[in-house]
Amino acid sequence: MPELPEVTALAAALDERLAGSVIEHVSIGSVNALKTADPPYASLLGRRVEGVARRGKLLVVLTAPGPGTAGGGPDDAGPVAVVVHLSLSGWVRVLDHLPEPTMPRGKGYIAARFGFVRDTGAGREETGIELTEAGTWKRLAVYIVRRLEDVPAIAELGPEPLEDTFTLEAFRKILASHKQQIKGLLRSQKAIAGIGNAYSDEILHAARLSPFAIASTLDDATAERLYEALRRVLSDAVDDAMGHAPEELKDEKRRTMRVHRRAGEPCPVCGDTILEVSFSDSALQYCPTCQTGGKPLADRRTSKFLK
């Protein structure tokens, strides 16, 4: 699933392309993907894009106040946002032209399409955006809302970990209030925004900490080491991702991973073999030497070591 670094870079790339443009085409390929009905998606037509941003793992397209050419209700004169949750296998395809008016058949799953037009001064620039999703489980979600807080996943978000307000003291308070394994806490969007399975593995490896350690039991020195690792890993990943085209970002994420999805490979720090713990719907990877005192973790949902 795209996480904070990739979605940050994706938002920046789309902002550069779409800011100041006007929405000229909207089509929804899957009724299941569209999670809202008010305002209607047709009310986006004719609206000007103010910018593209990120909230947690979600992509946000902000439009300027003013009803679109398709009209709408009396409340639609204010700003409207398009919020996209890419889920596990969704992504964004960027076209150098407006999308076709009808959805294609037999060319892969497209959840939604948007067309944008911008006057560059030298002529008319067209951009098409397709929200695609691979795999059997279709979980990509599109919300069209007047307020970002109308999206439950945004309303419940915890603090952004790279903001200045996310201090060591604030992080310690989060740890102290959660009696759960640290891997799960880092992934909890209600606790900290934007971190998922991949970067929680990377952060814990950089912090030399077991994924099964209990958050509320971490001493001050360990908490500070984890905080510094969290900020460093995410900041470096954002720096690595920025400037890449949207179609390159998923590969860029895999390239920079040290332990995530590298079970069986040598740890780049100590050379020990990276191990994996599998769950019903996910898996984590870690280095025994760097993180668990050389002992392999039990491959089940407990914090016990294998005997």
Side-chain angles (χ1 to χ4, degrees), residues 18-23 44 46-51 62-66 80:
L18 301 180
S21 64
V22 173
I23 302 174
L44 292 170
R47 284 182 170 271
R48 182 175 59 83
V49 176
E50 282 195 327
L62 301 164
T63 70
V80 172

Side-chain angles (χ1 to χ4, degrees), residues 29-208:
S30 168
V31 66
N32 293 326
L34 184 61
K35 303 302 182 184
T36 55
D38 181 29
Y41 68 83
S43 66
L44 292 170
L45 295 173
R47 284 182 170 271
R48 182 175 59 83
V49 176
E50 282 195 327
V52 184
R54 176 195 61 80
R55 297 290 187 278
K57 301 183 199 176
L58 286 79
L59 191 67
V60 178
V61 180
L62 301 164
T63 70
T69 56
D75 296 329
D76 293 336
V80 172
V82 181
V83 180
V84 180
H85 192 312
L86 293 166
S87 192
L88 185 63
S89 53
W91 199 243
V92 176
R93 182 184 299 147
V94 180
L95 311 173
D96 291 326
H97 54 81
L98 294 177
E100 296 296 326
T102 58
M103 288 288 181
R105 296 182 179 273
K107 293 185 179 180
Y109 180 81
I110 299 175
R113 283 174 144 181
F114 300 87
F116 304 84
V117 175
R118 181 166 62 180
D119 183 1
T120 64
R124 170 185 165 106
E125 179 185 78
E126 297 182 348
T127 300
I129 298 294
E130 294 181 336
L131 302 181
T132 65
E133 189 172 20
T136 303
W137 297 98
K138 304 304 182 187
R139 297 175 180 173
L140 183 147
V142 179
Y143 303 83
I144 299 170
V145 293
R146 298 182 182 92
R147 302 181 316 127
L148 293 183
E149 295 75 17
D150 292 336
V151 180
I154 289 181
E156 298 174 351
L157 275 179
E160 290 282 350
L162 294 182
E163 294 289 339
D164 291 342
T165 54
F166 189 79
T167 61
L168 174 58
E169 185 58 33
F171 183 55
R172 281 180 170 147
K173 289 180 179 178
I174 293 172
L175 295 176
S177 62
H178 290 82
K179 297 180 180 180
Q180 69 182 102
Q181 293 173 353
I182 190 62
K183 167 78 174 179
L185 178 61
L186 291 178
R187 293 183 62 185
S188 172
Q189 299 306 292
K190 294 180 180 180
I192 304 171
I195 303 171
N197 194 37
Y199 285 102
S200 59
D201 280 351
E202 296 298 299
I203 290 165
L204 291 170
H205 177 255
R208 307 187 305 280

